[in-house]
Amino acid sequence: MTQERKTVGLLSGAYAVLRKELQTELRDRAALNATLLFSVAGLAIVAYGVGPAVLPAVVQSALLWVVLFFAAFSGLAHVFTHEEEAGTSAFLRLTADAHAVYLGKLLFNLLLTALIALITVPAGLVAVSASPDRPWMFAAVALAGVLALATSATVVAAIIARAQGRGALFGAVGLPLLLPVLLIAVDATKNTLEPEMIAGLAGREIVGLCAFAVMVIAASWLVFPAVWEE
Amino acid sequence: MATGTVAVKLAVQDVCVRFGRRDVFGSVSLSVESGGVVAVSGPNGSGKSTLLRAVCGLLTPSGGAVRLTVADRAVPQQDVRRHIGLAAPDLGLYRSLTAAEHLQFAAQMHGVDGSIDRLRDLLTLVGLRGRGRDAVGSYSTGMRHRLRYALALIHEPALLMLDEPTANLDAEGAAVVKSIVERQRSHGAVLMATNEASETSWADHVCVLGAART
């Protein structure tokens, strides 16, 4: 009697990959330690530099996203590069469906970025002495930015993971993809920090960030099997 | 663990692999069928491990074709790995995960029974009983290789592929591998890459690859 096989659904496979990522991360803390280091260092520098000064909303917004971007990016690439560095990618390729791997790792990166944002954004608001008039709109902008940042970083990490000199390549490949996200996120955040917030503008930019994330996910879904298998 | 025979046939036809300008090997053909054990032998750098990776889809051959037939049905390329189990010394494992977690993950991904009883059976088979809850980082090189066997066997593949089957294993571990190869004969087929005379003696046929060419 051979082993009875069930068809492994995409969500079930993605959940298994996500669980594996969480288990390894909670034990190794490789990505978490790097992101926390960048978050704390970035926030400390911003708080020290800004001091009691009241900055224009656009500068406050830019500083927030600079800290969030560097903190997130130091950890997000790890999701694929650690598989190559530890030599575990072959095991994963043999065991898991490519789309399940992509979805599981994307979910992990989303959780990681959300966690970083949860720590960095409130602390960043204090550091730059900013207080959004409509906190929920501000939170929605941050959430949409996190979504776009994590989706872009995940596919870039997958592309560069198997390349030589992946550190430099991460910047080169990631910059064109991430710059539009960051510019929209900075503008949207600025709009929520202005005393006379223009809700319509921020709303449009939230939609823009979400649409960008959806497009990146759709494109990643198509290219990931080729990137992962070769 | 009970096993049943699966009709399997692997046909490797004129497969060649090239890395840049270097031919790792050119035009290799071989076949393995149910109940058969084929060994691929050759000097270091002749491409034994590369051939195994090409067969299981971890790399795409530069030329030729790999065809796997299971239960008289051609297996599409994207499904080949579901029917293959690979145990190779350079197959990395997650240092912070336990053996049981590795096996549960693999069982879930293959859609097979990942119950504690079954994991215990597999760990017993490879001589790791009682060590299932230990992190792989605490394992010796030989113990990790034993775990690779358990992972390769968890979905009872039709084709078992072994790269340097007894590398890093003690005499008892080598005996375990030999028994696994014999078991697999009654379930499917075995393709292994080795230079060890003791291991090639398990095979019905030996395919010798030439030296690396530039």
Side-chain angles (χ1 to χ4, degrees), chain B residues 12 23 95 127 164 206 213:
Chain B
V12 175
D23 282 342
R95 293 181 58 84
E164 299 181 45
V206 179
R213 289 171 291 172

PDB file of all heavy atoms in Angstrom, chain B residues 12 23 95 127 164 206 213:
ATOM      1  N   VAL B  12      16.486   8.850 -19.773  1.00  0.00           N
ATOM      2  CA  VAL B  12      17.349  10.026 -19.995  1.00  0.00           C
ATOM      3  C   VAL B  12      17.943   9.864 -21.389  1.00  0.00           C
ATOM      4  O   VAL B  12      18.636   8.879 -21.654  1.00  0.00           O
ATOM      5  CB  VAL B  12      18.467  10.088 -18.920  1.00  0.00           C
ATOM      6  CG1 VAL B  12      19.425  11.231 -19.205  1.00  0.00           C
ATOM      7  CG2 VAL B  12      17.869  10.215 -17.533  1.00  0.00           C
ATOM      8  N   ASP B  23      31.379  22.286 -20.932  1.00  0.00           N
ATOM      9  CA  ASP B  23      30.476  21.139 -20.969  1.00  0.00           C
ATOM     10  C   ASP B  23      30.723  20.306 -19.717  1.00  0.00           C
ATOM     11  O   ASP B  23      31.835  19.801 -19.518  1.00  0.00           O
ATOM     12  CB  ASP B  23      30.762  20.258 -22.186  1.00  0.00           C
ATOM     13  CG  ASP B  23      30.169  20.852 -23.451  1.00  0.00           C
ATOM     14  OD1 ASP B  23      29.281  21.711 -23.340  1.00  0.00           O
ATOM     15  OD2 ASP B  23      30.621  20.468 -24.542  1.00  0.00           O
ATOM     16  N   ARG B  95      18.628  24.751  10.075  1.00  0.00           N
ATOM     17  CA  ARG B  95      19.325  24.451  11.328  1.00  0.00           C
ATOM     18  C   ARG B  95      18.421  24.617  12.557  1.00  0.00           C
ATOM     19  O   ARG B  95      18.570  23.887  13.528  1.00  0.00           O
ATOM     20  CB  ARG B  95      20.544  25.370  11.479  1.00  0.00           C
ATOM     21  CG  ARG B  95      21.637  25.117  10.470  1.00  0.00           C
ATOM     22  CD  ARG B  95      22.812  26.058  10.701  1.00  0.00           C
ATOM     23  NE  ARG B  95      23.367  25.930  12.038  1.00  0.00           N
ATOM     24  CZ  ARG B  95      24.247  25.021  12.399  1.00  0.00           C
ATOM     25  NH1 ARG B  95      24.697  24.165  11.517  1.00  0.00           N
ATOM     26  NH2 ARG B  95      24.698  24.967  13.634  1.00  0.00           N
ATOM     27  N   GLY B 127      17.270   5.513  11.641  1.00  0.00           N
ATOM     28  CA  GLY B 127      18.117   5.465  12.837  1.00  0.00           C
ATOM     29  C   GLY B 127      18.148   6.764  13.615  1.00  0.00           C
ATOM     30  O   GLY B 127      19.142   7.061  14.287  1.00  0.00           O
ATOM     31  N   GLU B 164      25.953  10.224  -3.673  1.00  0.00           N
ATOM     32  CA  GLU B 164      26.912   9.724  -2.670  1.00  0.00           C
ATOM     33  C   GLU B 164      26.135   9.108  -1.499  1.00  0.00           C
ATOM     34  O   GLU B 164      26.114   9.661  -0.395  1.00  0.00           O
ATOM     35  CB  GLU B 164      27.805  10.854  -2.172  1.00  0.00           C
ATOM     36  CG  GLU B 164      28.643  11.486  -3.266  1.00  0.00           C
ATOM     37  CD  GLU B 164      29.533  12.582  -2.724  1.00  0.00           C
ATOM     38  OE1 GLU B 164      30.145  12.344  -1.674  1.00  0.00           O
ATOM     39  OE2 GLU B 164      29.599  13.642  -3.337  1.00  0.00           O
ATOM     40  N   VAL B 206      25.752   0.079 -14.314  1.00  0.00           N
ATOM     41  CA  VAL B 206      26.572   1.241 -13.946  1.00  0.00           C
ATOM     42  C   VAL B 206      26.811   2.063 -15.208  1.00  0.00           C
ATOM     43  O   VAL B 206      27.269   1.536 -16.221  1.00  0.00           O
ATOM     44  CB  VAL B 206      27.921   0.812 -13.321  1.00  0.00           C
ATOM     45  CG1 VAL B 206      28.756   2.046 -12.972  1.00  0.00           C
ATOM     46  CG2 VAL B 206      27.697  -0.045 -12.083  1.00  0.00           C
ATOM     47  N   ARG B 213      35.145  18.124 -19.458  1.00  0.00           N
ATOM     48  CA  ARG B 213      35.799  18.666 -20.645  1.00  0.00           C
ATOM     49  C   ARG B 213      35.731  20.184 -20.633  1.00  0.00           C
ATOM     50  O   ARG B 213      34.823  20.763 -20.048  1.00  0.00           O
ATOM     51  CB  ARG B 213      35.095  18.140 -21.902  1.00  0.00           C
ATOM     52  CG  ARG B 213      35.362  16.694 -22.137  1.00  0.00           C
ATOM     53  CD  ARG B 213      34.494  16.166 -23.233  1.00  0.00           C
ATOM     54  NE  ARG B 213      33.106  16.135 -22.800  1.00  0.00           N
ATOM     55  CZ  ARG B 213      32.105  15.863 -23.625  1.00  0.00           C
ATOM     56  NH1 ARG B 213      32.324  15.672 -24.892  1.00  0.00           N
ATOM     57  NH2 ARG B 213      30.878  15.817 -23.191  1.00  0.00           N
TER      58      ARG B 213
END
